[in-house]
Amino acid sequence: MISGPSGAGKGTLIRAAAPHFDRLLISVSATTRARRAGEREGRDYRFMSRADFLRRVEEGQFLEWAEFGGNLYGTPADFVDAGLEAGNDVILEIELKGARQVRARRPQAVSIFIQPPSLAELERRLRLRNTENEEEIHRRIEHAREELDALQADLLRAERDFHYVIVNADVELAAEALRSTIEEIRANDPAR
Ligand code: 5GP
């Protein structure tokens, strides 16, 4: 499982690291979120209505699911199970509530938290961006502070709950770190 705040660069790192491995599948999640430009049905997500999603929840089709930013996201269990049974590893890119469910249901799952650059750096960038009037600056910084507080709480939890934490300050270095982390996880896997 790969988790981390939005903007941390999870997807980029996975796409950079995964092609170096065989028998490594990336799970395609179901979501009720609208498709963004450039996203493809079945490759990036399986896009569906809320009613369809909730029917699948009722039918127990998801290994985990959660609401994030007003949309529902879930990991189809059949894809993961078939992949594992065929001898693959499966990567899930999911938010924190989903990761908690998978941890409880699949104790063998290994979790990686992708951390954005330091909070101070994020705040510095936000301040730099603010060239508006004082009131606007104040409003934006207050908003940023709320986000940073939430992020800080995530980071503290991550240190405790995740097997690995990778800081994504430099994409190439972080992708290399993810690659060696996957190698290490495979080397330590008693099932191999
Ligand atoms: P986005 O809308 O930006 O693609 O994703 C929003 C968040 O939902 C990201 O943190 C992403 O990792 C998470 N996410 C994507 N698919 C799933 C899923 O199947 N389950 C859960 N719990 N989270 C997901």
Side-chain angles (χ1 to χ4, degrees), residues 32-95:
T32 63
R33 161 163 89 56
R35 196 164 61 82
R36 290 181 190 140
E39 286 184 332
R40 216 167 64 210
E41 163 65 28
R43 181 194 66 183
D44 299 290
Y45 282 106
R46 286 156 70 181
F47 297 95
M48 58 186 68
S49 69
R50 207 171 171 97
D52 194 5
F53 190 103
L54 291 173
R55 180 182 58 75
R56 289 163 196 263
V57 170
E58 286 295 310
E59 291 173 3
Q61 289 191 24
F62 295 124
L63 170 58
E64 61 73 36
W65 68 279
E67 181 149 10
F68 182 93
N71 297 303
L72 304 178
Y73 297 84
T75 303
D78 57 357
F79 178 91
V80 176
D81 289 333
L84 293 174
E85 273 160 32
N88 302 286
D89 292 310
V90 182
I91 293 189
L92 311 185
E93 190 223 300
I94 59 180
E95 51 68 70

Side-chain angles (χ1 to χ4, degrees), residues 28-185:
V28 179
S29 297
T31 186
T32 63
R33 161 163 89 56
R35 196 164 61 82
R36 290 181 190 140
E39 286 184 332
R40 216 167 64 210
E41 163 65 28
R43 181 194 66 183
D44 299 290
Y45 282 106
R46 286 156 70 181
F47 297 95
M48 58 186 68
S49 69
R50 207 171 171 97
D52 194 5
F53 190 103
L54 291 173
R55 180 182 58 75
R56 289 163 196 263
V57 170
E58 286 295 310
E59 291 173 3
Q61 289 191 24
F62 295 124
L63 170 58
E64 61 73 36
W65 68 279
E67 181 149 10
F68 182 93
N71 297 303
L72 304 178
Y73 297 84
T75 303
D78 57 357
F79 178 91
V80 176
D81 289 333
L84 293 174
E85 273 160 32
N88 302 286
D89 292 310
V90 182
I91 293 189
L92 311 185
E93 190 223 300
I94 59 180
E95 51 68 70
L96 297 172
K97 287 172 288 195
R100 207 170 304 138
Q101 295 167 47
V102 175
R103 216 173 265 123
R105 284 179 199 158
R106 304 289 175 96
Q108 73 274 34
V110 179
S111 58
I112 302 172
F113 189 85
I114 307 292
Q115 190 178 308
S118 72
L119 298 176
E121 171 64 12
L122 278 187
E123 184 158 3
R124 194 183 68 82
R125 290 181 194 171
L126 282 164
R127 280 183 184 274
L128 276 181
R129 217 185 294 165
N130 279 302
T131 51
E132 317 297 310
N133 62 49
E134 264 311 307
E135 193 185 325
E136 177 71 359
I137 290 175
H138 187 73
R139 203 181 58 73
R140 290 197 190 187
I141 288 187
E142 271 314 303
H143 182 69
R145 199 182 314 268
E146 279 166 32
E147 287 190 338
L148 294 178
D149 283 349
L151 186 54
Q152 182 78 69
D154 280 354
L155 297 184
L156 288 175
R157 239 177 288 133
E159 295 288 338
R160 192 189 63 207
D161 294 345
F162 286 77
H163 295 102
Y164 298 91
V165 175
I166 293 173
V167 179
N168 185 12
D170 174 286
V171 176
E172 275 175 32
L173 287 178
E176 183 50 40
L178 179 57
R179 210 171 131 180
S180 53
T181 300
I182 294 170
E183 278 166 10
E184 185 179 322
I185 291 166

